[in-house]
Amino acid sequence: MEEIISLKETSDFSLILERIMNKNLRADIDISEFKYFYPKDILILVQYFVIQNYHQIDGSLLLSDVNGWYIQSINLIEFCNTNYKIPSHVKPTSRTAIPIKRVDTSTMNGYIRDAQNFFAKYCQGKDISALNICIAEIINNVSDHSRSEHDSFIFSQYYKHPKTIVFAISDVGVGIPDSVNGYMRSIGTGEFSDFEAVDWALQKGRSVKSKAHNMGAGFDNIINHIRGIGNIQIFTGGVYCQIDKNGDKYIGVNPINNFIGTIIEITINTTKLEPIDETILDGYT
């Protein structure tokens, strides 16, 4: 059976994720009406096609002249066909985006270094260490908690209007609610609802598994580094969570049904970044 699924906004991605449950269904995804993509949108497409490839189901993207060049420039098709299996270096062809990459704890530092160099030209004289810290924290969390077969996927882009760096990291693991409740069962306490589990994970000092390479504060560490300069969105299980620049949280229903794993998207307003501390730089000269 074959059908064409037309997508016009992010919430429509629930339509394609439903198809993952039916392994005999071929679906061509029509995104020709999409004129603007955020990193989370791209990673949801990656999530769908990676799982589709895993189950050996055929499918394709239907593009327009307007967005086809963008999809090509970020190497989406190439990544979904090959690179998600074996991480490899892809030369950037977009001026504002780093190609999608599969990253784990062994390749994380290389990606962070590339991202820092790539975005430095848009943030001259500004301290972008928050980018490095948040990427490292999320990828370590995926490694420790998600039980994902495909490590982390990451996509990053700079937007000129407004002046922001936006990056998203995803996995196709168990999701935050299941990870938290697995921990609760292991220590003999009662389970949480999806909403309670996510809220628990966001509290200061909460971590379901402590590892030496983690920075010790879990999501709270990410929230503190984004406070005042950006915001965070989390899609996991049945939960959508938004954390604003003041650290205030909104936890609601995930608009994407049948969601697998977790996607975290972080936006950094480059106009709010602090200048690089010259006294620290002088110590290295």
Side-chain angles (χ1 to χ4, degrees), residues 208-240:
V208 302
K209 186 193 290 185
S210 179
K211 289 289 186 72
H213 56 235
N214 272 358
M215 298 174 189
F219 278 107
D220 186 62
N221 194 37
I222 299 170
I223 294 169
N224 285 337
H225 279 89
I226 296 301
R227 194 185 304 273
I229 64 170
N231 62 75
I232 305 167
Q233 295 185 80
I234 303 171
F235 299 80
T236 185
V239 178
Y240 167 73

Side-chain angles (χ1 to χ4, degrees), residues 104-132:
D104 59 20
T105 53
S106 68
T107 57
M108 171 182 71
N109 289 334
Y111 183 90
I112 290 172
R113 182 175 58 252
D114 290 346
Q116 189 171 21
N117 292 337
F118 185 87
F119 291 121
K121 60 180 175 286
Y122 301 112
C123 311
Q124 292 185 5
K126 298 291 186 70
D127 180 0
I128 58 174
S129 60
L131 175 76
N132 313 343

Side-chain angles (χ1 to χ4, degrees), residues 24-192:
N24 298 316
L25 177 64
R26 173 193 167 100
D28 293 327
I29 310 303
D30 182 358
I31 57 172
S32 59
E33 293 193 41
F34 259 80
K35 295 181 175 62
Y36 201 78
F37 294 91
Y38 281 99
K40 68 176 182 297
D41 303 324
I42 297 300
L43 290 190
I44 292 172
L45 285 173
V46 168
Q47 183 193 56
Y48 173 70
F49 280 107
V50 165
I51 295 175
Q52 191 178 56
N53 286 340
Y54 179 80
H55 291 305
Q56 298 182 328
I57 306 171
D58 291 330
S60 62
L61 283 178
L62 304 179
L63 307 170
S64 68
D65 292 338
V66 174
N67 63 27
W69 67 269
Y70 175 77
I71 294 299
Q72 182 177 2
S73 72
I74 63 173
N75 301 100
L76 175 63
I77 305 301
E78 178 187 355
F79 180 85
C80 290
N81 286 336
T82 58
N83 286 348
Y84 81 91
K85 296 179 181 178
I86 302 175
S88 62
H89 179 74
V90 179
K91 183 178 179 180
T93 55
S94 167
R95 293 181 179 179
T96 58
I98 303 175
I100 309 158
K101 188 98 182 259
R102 174 181 171 181
V103 182
D104 59 20
T105 53
S106 68
T107 57
M108 171 182 71
N109 289 334
Y111 183 90
I112 290 172
R113 182 175 58 252
D114 290 346
Q116 189 171 21
N117 292 337
F118 185 87
F119 291 121
K121 60 180 175 286
Y122 301 112
C123 311
Q124 292 185 5
K126 298 291 186 70
D127 180 0
I128 58 174
S129 60
L131 175 76
N132 313 343
I133 293 168
C134 291
I135 290 175
E137 187 75 60
I138 295 170
I139 292 172
N140 280 324
N141 283 339
V142 171
S143 174
D144 291 348
H145 310 315
S146 75
R147 302 197 295 276
S148 174
E149 294 183 8
H150 297 287
D151 306 312
S152 302
F153 303 126
I154 183 167
F155 178 57
S156 309
Q157 179 155 3
Y158 176 76
Y159 295 88
K160 296 179 180 178
H161 305 290
K163 295 180 178 179
T164 54
I165 296 170
V166 185
F167 68 93
I169 299 175
S170 71
D171 67 76
V172 289
V174 299
I176 295 171
D178 281 359
S179 178
V180 169
N181 280 321
Y183 172 72
M184 292 302 165
R185 288 191 296 271
S186 74
I187 61 175
T189 64
E191 294 188 12
F192 292 142

Side-chain angles (χ1 to χ4, degrees), residues 17 44 47 170-171 173 235-239 254 256-263:
L17 295 179
I44 292 172
Q47 183 193 56
S170 71
D171 67 76
F235 299 80
T236 185
V239 178
N254 191 340
I256 307 170
N257 299 324
N258 304 292
F259 196 82
I260 297 173
T262 300
I263 291 181

